Amino acid sequence: MNVKLRVLSAGVLFFIGGQTLLAQKKTNDTIPEKTKEIDEVVVVAYGTQKRQSITGSITTVNAKQLQDAQSSNAMQSLTGKVGGVQISANSGQPGDPPQVRFRGIGSLSSSNNPLYVVDGVPFNGNINSISNQDIESISFLKDASANALYGSRGANGVVIITTKKAKKGKFTVNFDTKYGVNSRAVKEYDLITDPGAYYEMFYNRLVTDGVYNGKTIGAAAVEAANTMIPDWLVYNNYNVADNQLIDPATGRLNPNAKLLYHDDWAKNLFKDRTRQEYNLNIANSSEKNDVYLSLGYLNDEGYVINSGFKRYTARLNNELRLTSDIKVGVNVNYARSEQNAPIQGAGSSQYSNLFSWARNIAPIYPIWARDKAGNFLLDNTGRLQYDFGTLTGPMGLGRPYGGNLNPYGTTLLDIKRNAEDNLSGRAYASVNFLKDFNFTYNLGYDLVSGHYIDYSNNIGGDAVGYGGSITNATTNDYTITNQQLLNWNKSFNKHTISLMVGHETSDFKSKMLAGTKNNIAIPDLPILSNATKFAGLNSYNDNYKVEGYLSRLNYSYDNKYFFNASFRRDGSSVFAPENRWGNFFGLGAAWAVTNEAFLSGNKAITNLKLKASYGEQGNDNILYAGSVNLSNRSYFGYARNYYAYASQWEVVPDSDGNMTIVQVYEGNRDIKWEVSKNLNVGFELSLFNRVNIDAQYFERGVEDMIYNKPLPPSTGTRFIAANVGDMKNRGVEVSVDANIFNTPDFSWNLFANLTHYKNEITSLPSSFVSGVFKFEKGVAAYTYYLRQFAGVDSSNGDALWYMDDANGNKVTTNDYTKAKLYMSDKNLNPKAYGGFGTSVTYKGINLSVNFAYQFGGYMYDNVYQGLLPSGGDNIGQNYHKDVYNTWTPTNTNAPLPALDLSRTTQMAASDLFLIKSDYISLQDASISYDFNKNVLPEGLTGLKFGIYGSNLAMWSKRKGMDPRLARIGASGNNGLSLNNYGVVRSISLGLTVKF
């Protein structure tokens, strides 16, 4: 698109019809004021490529930083690299997307996810379908001035992905490959791993229980030694009699006991695996036509057995210039992905969750069946047999923990596979006419067609009682987006004006069908016709439409003073017709101070720009509450509610097929747009053309905040979505990068960014409690609401908590039901987050190291709490080594309460389990060598060899706990440590060849 644009020495970004036009000031160059025909020019700050609007806040990451990344999702590789944007893993499962949050949370029951725009059109496919090697740049639009043009879908920030095109006048061929190893990045919690140590610990627990129930220590010790195996743990993997395993005189393992077997569940469930990636792209540019073609293959094996992600990609970007004023183009991407996800759908506390199982099963229980001498028991084909812990199994022992289960065996026998075909197309036509006008038409199409298999075997595990189970599900999600954009651009004297008006429609449809049958006939054949008993059949059709009318004005005077304004009116089918439409706008101004005469030619201050903006946007991305019960959506979870204003019902049949209609959701016709109001004030400063500082103060307010309010049980439904209050984030964001040295042979760059914000609920009709949080006016969202741990009664090991007496004084109690719930001064929101790093180049050698960090927030360590269980319902469960710090009759000054079989609330929920979520992580590092072109054989234009590492190290408060997995503003658990698929460490060798 040819648009006459005045080139500005300060560097100015214009948005014209969804495309980005930017003028550049080159280092140490003086660009005379003139008019120039440009398509797209990029401002390159030292180290990090940045696109900055006239008045708004935008950061751009370039292709070079992405091509070195090792992830199945380009966003995952940017943790800590983008100021104001917190990117963290939801899990380590290859293929899963990360969580992205712009300047804190913007909603409680609506989505906090940003809008993705690919090649100028909102994107509704899977981001993991786009190869990192096909991306030219990723821009993050963080304030309303920058993203107001995207209206209702940009309230939580906008991520603009631009894919590669052919370079003008060039024919190029590039081949890139990486091959390496995936492993577990974060060490496990400090668990008891030795069988003898576990027997001794459990014996002491029995002794403590006996003393609590009135026995002497001696009597309790003898009883514990005699009953520990036959009455409680059942399994004895030593060569001595059950009642001789522990010596009651010492409380220690019999010195004559020899270990017969010990299977390490973690070592067998989690193993190093390989990662391999291959990408080929061919580009050719001629006078009339630009063609970019790429092919890619990724095989990202997870370190959890039977997990991984495969992707096959093909992309064609083609632009044809029919005349000097008319061009048309099409960008098409196809991706086939296959994901094996063995813990998909398994809750944090479920036995089928491999991380929960590996942490919680005692180290005395085997994977494979053994005889009394410890030898393997083989089946009639000579193969090892799994021990499912049942009386009817080969060992004939009823395991007290997870009987009838063996997740190692079932993970290998079961199939959980997600296969998706992603087709994304972008077509456009651009016409210049009447000298200053341009009309652009954009058409976008996104299709995600999925086939999902959940096969549970009939040999052992959860489904063995049904003869095994097979579920097949299919989905088809497709979105059609139309944009019509008219631009007028005019420069005269010292004035430059750009005006855009447009219209956009987006039509999303989703169809799902899922069926389940039990009683499998042929093993390992995961099709429904291979089972005989009908168990369930569900489906749904979703429709979502949004329409918008948009406009934007950019004005500049004398390359010094800039103003922009945007207005958009959106209608969404999520709301009732009377509340369907919302009006949203953005305003901004900036002053390029270095273009004033008093700073002209200043060698110290080479760029100074002051800017301010304000805007309002709507959010209609409402989520179902986690407690909803919709059987037709149970396979995929409940996610987005496309019919928030309408009551929803389900047809429930009885065993004879008779119909009952049940209400499952209470609609609210009064629900309306959740409105985000954003203020941004800041400056950009460059010193000596080497040090660049971008500092901004922001306020992100949310009015008419949508929340799924709980309803009384008598209503028959659990909640209703309503506009319940207001919330605000206030903070500062600072990014600094410095080019310390910059010579032809040697360069050294440093960068750092920091974001600090404070969240506050500013209006709420009435407070409410959700899990371990209380939401109340005047405090931060996700503030903890818990009982306060007061220590241990040294006389008997009782846990103590605080309560208020009749006079309002704080006193202690050992009755958990009487302890008071207090509003904590701790919350989930971090006070600061960001990243820092450095890159060094010397004669073709390139070294890069990048860190991310977070400080000031708190997590509730639910996993740690579960590893210190009290009561008699967890026999055979493992323990954190802090169990040695619990009260016993011989350790009465211990900091933690007694753990026995009688007292069930000793480790009940309290602030004892709050822990700082601070961390510093070495996110990635690489060293590579670019061969000098002079030594390359004819035909080669580039050759690079490198070593690349990601998720290399992390330092946090407690070993085993990964604060990066603590979700905030999500539809499920927030702030809890969970038994999640942990982050993957990847180390690879890479080779890039250019022709």
Side-chain angles (χ1 to χ4, degrees):
M1 178 173 60
N2 295 320
V3 178
K4 289 181 182 281
L5 183 70
R6 193 178 294 273
V7 177
L8 309 178
S9 60
V12 178
L13 172 72
F14 290 82
F15 282 99
I16 311 270
Q19 298 197 22
T20 307
L21 304 182
L22 193 63
Q24 177 184 25
K25 176 180 178 180
K26 297 182 180 179
T27 305
N28 298 324
D29 286 347
T30 301
I31 302 178
E33 184 178 315
K34 62 180 180 179
T35 299
K36 182 181 178 183
E37 298 277 323
I38 75 169
D39 283 325
E40 183 176 15
V41 186
V42 177
V43 167
V44 181
Y46 297 112
T48 302
Q49 183 183 20
K50 302 176 73 176
R51 289 181 181 173
Q52 300 168 328
S53 68
I54 298 174
T55 62
S57 178
I58 300 175
T59 301
T60 296
V61 179
N62 61 24
K64 184 180 186 302
Q65 292 171 292
L66 295 169
Q67 69 187 15
D68 293 341
Q70 294 188 99
S71 67
S72 54
N73 185 306
M75 299 298 297
Q76 186 68 69
S77 61
L78 300 180
T79 301
K81 297 177 182 177
V82 184
V85 182
Q86 191 168 27
I87 302 171
S88 55
N90 277 322
S91 80
Q93 166 67 51
D96 278 2
Q99 176 180 270
V100 181
R101 297 288 180 263
F102 280 62
R103 294 177 170 179
I105 59 172
S107 183
L108 297 182
S109 288
S110 295
S111 172
N112 283 280
N113 295 329
L115 169 70
Y116 291 93
V117 176
V118 176
D119 291 332
V121 177
F123 180 71
N124 213 26
N126 291 326
I127 292 298
N128 65 19
S129 67
I130 303 175
S131 169
N132 295 358
Q133 303 299 320
D134 285 340
I135 297 175
E136 181 66 33
S137 65
I138 301 180
S139 298
F140 296 83
L141 281 60
K142 294 176 282 187
D143 74 323
S145 174
N147 60 31
L149 206 57
Y150 295 98
S152 60
R153 289 173 291 179
N156 293 308
V158 178
V159 180
I160 296 180
I161 297 176
T162 303
T163 60
K164 291 180 178 178
K165 298 180 180 179
K167 305 298 181 183
K168 297 295 184 184
K170 291 184 178 181
F171 174 79
T172 60
V173 178
N174 295 322
F175 175 74
D176 180 88
T177 182
K178 292 184 177 68
Y179 190 94
V181 177
N182 287 341
S183 60
R184 191 171 182 173
V186 177
K187 293 181 179 179
E188 183 56 278
Y189 282 81
D190 218 355
L191 308 176
I192 295 176
T193 57
D194 177 69
Y198 182 82
Y199 282 123
E200 291 176 353
M201 182 281 304
F202 191 82
Y203 161 84
N204 283 320
R205 189 177 176 202
L206 290 175
V207 172
T208 301
D209 186 72
V211 172
Y212 177 75
N213 286 288
K215 296 182 176 67
T216 65
I217 293 180
V222 172
E223 182 178 355
N226 289 329
T227 63
M228 182 178 67
I229 299 298
D231 291 358
W232 300 106
L233 298 178
V234 181
Y235 285 59
N236 176 5
N237 45 10
Y238 283 85
N239 67 338
V240 297
D242 293 350
N243 62 355
Q244 296 177 20
L245 188 58
I246 299 293
D247 183 354
T250 63
R252 303 300 300 275
L253 189 71
N254 185 335
N256 296 318
K258 293 184 179 179
L259 187 65
L260 298 175
Y261 60 85
H262 174 217
D263 294 336
D264 191 318
W265 288 88
K267 285 185 179 179
N268 285 278
L269 288 170
F270 313 129
K271 295 182 178 181
D272 293 355
R273 304 291 294 280
T274 60
R275 182 186 192 279
Q276 51 186 314
E277 184 174 9
Y278 308 93
N279 293 280
L280 173 69
N281 67 68
I282 302 171
N284 184 47
S285 176
S286 64
E287 181 181 353
K288 293 290 186 179
N289 194 25
D290 293 340
V291 179
Y292 174 89
L293 174 66
S294 74
L295 299 171
Y297 170 72
L298 168 67
N299 187 0
D300 199 2
E301 295 181 333
Y303 65 83
V304 174
I305 59 168
N306 215 20
S307 72
F309 179 76
K310 289 183 180 179
R311 182 183 65 205
Y312 308 83
T313 60
R315 171 173 288 276
L316 172 65
N317 291 355
N318 188 17
E319 182 174 279
L320 177 63
R321 290 173 289 278
L322 301 176
T323 70
S324 60
D325 290 320
I326 302 175
K327 67 178 180 181
V328 296
V330 61
N331 298 346
V332 180
N333 184 71
Y334 169 76
R336 166 74 177 185
S337 65
E338 298 173 359
Q339 183 187 54
N340 289 330
I343 67 171
Q344 176 180 281
S348 180
S349 61
Q350 288 182 262
Y351 291 126
S352 55
N353 183 309
L354 301 185
F355 287 86
S356 176
W357 182 273
R359 284 171 176 153
N360 286 290
I361 190 169
I364 63 173
Y365 298 115
I367 296 174
W368 295 278
R370 305 312 210 288
D371 62 19
K372 292 184 178 180
N375 301 308
F376 289 112
L377 291 172
L378 307 180
D379 63 15
N380 54 12
T381 66
R383 287 189 282 188
L384 298 177
Q385 296 186 78
Y386 297 119
D387 175 44
F388 285 95
T390 62
L391 294 173
T392 58
M395 295 187 73
L397 299 175
R399 189 195 313 123
Y401 181 86
N404 197 41
L405 298 172
N406 185 315
Y408 176 82
T410 54
T411 298
L412 295 178
L413 294 170
D414 293 349
I415 299 172
K416 289 193 176 181
R417 182 179 302 138
N418 306 322
E420 292 183 342
D421 293 293
N422 292 259
L423 178 64
S424 178
R426 302 288 184 265
Y428 59 91
S430 175
V431 180
N432 297 325
F433 63 98
L434 297 179
K435 186 179 180 182
D436 299 320
F437 287 86
N438 171 271
F439 176 77
T440 300
Y441 177 78
N442 292 315
L443 174 65
Y445 179 79
D446 296 314
L447 169 67
V448 181
S449 180
H451 181 218
Y452 310 91
I453 296 172
D454 191 339
Y455 168 95
S456 298
N457 74 89
N458 57 358
I459 298 173
D462 293 329
V464 70
Y466 309 104
S469 175
I470 301 173
T471 297
N472 283 188
T474 61
T475 61
N476 283 284
D477 298 347
Y478 56 93
T479 307
I480 297 176
T481 302
N482 285 274
Q483 290 179 343
Q484 304 89 37
L485 306 167
L486 178 64
N487 296 277
W488 176 69
N489 303 281
K490 185 70 174 179
S491 295
F492 56 95
N493 298 326
K494 296 182 178 181
H495 306 275
T496 299
I497 301 174
S498 173
L499 177 64
M500 185 271 289
V501 294
H503 173 254
E504 179 182 68
T505 60
S506 181
D507 189 352
F508 168 79
K509 297 183 185 297
S510 176
K511 298 180 180 180
M512 188 282 290
L513 176 65
T516 302
K517 291 176 74 175
N518 298 330
N519 197 29
I520 295 171
I522 303 172
D524 302 325
L525 183 61
I527 59 175
L528 289 175
S529 58
N530 184 40
T532 62
K533 294 182 179 179
F534 171 81
L537 184 64
N538 287 294
S539 67
Y540 61 75
N541 287 355
D542 282 334
N543 294 283
Y544 167 66
K545 293 185 178 182
V546 63
E547 183 173 15
Y549 298 89
L550 52 145
S551 62
R552 183 166 187 141
L553 169 68
N554 287 334
Y555 169 77
S556 69
Y557 175 75
D558 199 22
N559 299 337
K560 302 175 184 178
Y561 314 107
F562 309 98
F563 171 79
N564 64 7
S566 61
F567 175 80
R568 178 160 179 155
R569 180 169 172 79
D570 276 324
S572 168
S573 62
V574 169
F575 305 110
E578 58 268 27
N579 292 313
R580 186 153 291 170
W581 289 89
N583 299 319
F584 311 106
F585 68 92
L587 298 169
W591 177 27
V593 184
T594 39
N595 283 356
E596 298 287 357
F598 60 84
L599 277 181
S600 179
N602 191 295
K603 295 183 179 180
I605 302 176
T606 50
N607 180 44
L608 175 61
K609 182 166 67 174
L610 308 180
K611 57 186 178 181
S613 65
Y614 176 81
E616 297 183 1
Q617 294 167 278
N619 189 3
D620 68 343
N621 196 342
I622 303 170
L623 305 175
Y624 284 107
S627 59
V628 70
N629 185 18
L630 300 171
S631 61
N632 69 323
R633 293 181 180 273
S634 58
Y635 184 81
F636 289 101
Y638 306 118
R640 185 166 182 178
N641 186 350
Y642 291 102
Y643 312 100
Y645 73 94
S647 294
Q648 298 170 32
W649 309 75
E650 282 193 330
V651 177
V652 180
D654 62 17
S655 58
D656 296 324
N658 298 313
M659 182 188 305
T660 300
I661 298 177
V662 178
Q663 184 175 359
V664 292
Y665 173 82
E666 180 71 22
N668 181 4
R669 293 188 68 89
D670 294 330
I671 194 170
K672 57 184 180 180
W673 290 94
E674 183 178 82
V675 180
S676 177
K677 299 184 175 183
N678 295 296
L679 171 70
N680 192 85
V681 180
F683 67 87
E684 300 166 18
L685 174 65
S686 296
L687 302 175
F688 304 102
N689 273 332
R690 287 186 178 273
V691 179
N692 301 291
I693 303 170
D694 190 345
Q696 299 171 73
Y697 168 80
F698 62 85
E699 290 187 2
R700 184 185 180 194
V702 184
E703 290 188 0
D704 296 322
M705 186 166 52
I706 297 172
Y707 187 73
N708 291 312
K709 290 173 55 178
L711 292 175
S714 59
T715 62
T717 55
R718 296 185 179 184
F719 64 91
I720 184 171
N723 301 93
V724 299
D726 306 331
M727 183 171 66
K728 182 169 286 188
N729 296 321
R730 297 182 179 91
V732 293
E733 173 192 322
V734 180
S735 298
V736 180
D737 62 79
N739 196 19
I740 307 301
F741 292 100
N742 188 19
T743 67
D745 288 336
F746 178 68
S747 66
W748 178 23
N749 171 261
L750 296 171
F751 85 91
N753 65 76
L754 177 145
T755 301
H756 160 75
Y757 75 92
K758 183 178 180 181
N759 176 275
E760 181 184 358
I761 298 174
T762 55
S763 175
L764 201 65
S766 59
S767 61
F768 60 89
V769 177
S770 178
V772 295
F773 303 107
K774 186 173 185 179
F775 296 85
E776 186 174 272
K777 180 182 177 181
V779 300
Y782 299 103
T783 294
Y784 291 101
Y785 185 62
L786 294 161
R787 291 170 173 86
Q788 292 184 356
F789 181 70
V792 181
D793 185 337
S794 60
S795 66
N796 62 4
D798 275 350
L800 301 175
W801 300 273
Y802 286 109
M803 60 176 287
D804 292 346
D805 64 14
N807 298 318
N809 299 314
K810 243 181 184 181
V811 295
T812 61
T813 178
N814 65 350
D815 186 343
Y816 186 76
T817 62
K818 294 181 179 179
K820 181 181 177 181
L821 287 161
Y822 291 94
M823 180 69 82
S824 174
D825 60 351
K826 302 177 178 65
N827 63 74
L828 175 58
N829 302 280
K831 292 182 179 178
Y833 63 84
F836 58 93
T838 187
S839 60
V840 178
T841 300
Y842 177 69
K843 290 186 176 181
I845 300 174
N846 306 285
L847 172 66
S848 176
V849 181
N850 298 289
F851 294 83
Y853 66 87
Q854 171 183 289
F855 295 104
Y858 283 81
M859 286 178 64
Y860 187 89
D861 198 347
N862 193 61
V863 172
Y864 176 75
Q865 179 188 12
L867 292 169
L868 293 171
S870 54
D873 295 332
N874 44 68
I875 307 304
Q877 181 177 334
N878 201 7
Y879 291 82
H880 193 282
K881 285 184 178 178
D882 280 357
V883 69
Y884 297 119
N885 296 323
T886 60
W887 187 96
T888 67
T890 57
N891 184 20
T892 58
N893 293 318
L896 295 175
L899 294 182
D900 52 40
L901 305 182
S902 301
R903 289 171 278 189
T904 59
T905 61
Q906 293 286 83
M907 292 293 180
S910 74
D911 64 355
L912 174 63
F913 303 106
L914 289 182
I915 185 169
K916 288 183 177 181
S917 59
D918 302 352
Y919 76 86
I920 298 176
S921 63
L922 176 52
Q923 285 298 121
D924 56 76
S926 66
I927 184 168
S928 61
Y929 181 72
D930 277 300
F931 286 84
N932 191 303
K933 293 181 180 180
N934 296 329
V935 303
L936 297 178
E938 186 177 354
L940 285 184
T941 59
L943 180 64
K944 183 173 76 171
F945 176 80
I947 303 175
Y948 308 91
S950 59
N951 295 315
L952 295 173
M954 186 194 68
W955 298 268
S956 63
K957 186 70 173 179
R958 177 175 286 139
K959 177 185 173 184
M961 188 191 77
D962 190 346
R964 294 172 295 184
L965 297 179
R967 299 192 293 175
I968 181 169
S971 58
N973 292 313
N974 288 279
L976 304 182
S977 65
L978 301 173
N979 292 301
N980 283 342
Y981 196 136
V983 173
V984 177
R985 175 190 293 117
S986 296
I987 299 176
S988 299
L989 297 176
L991 175 68
T992 302
V993 183
K994 298 181 179 181
F995 299 91

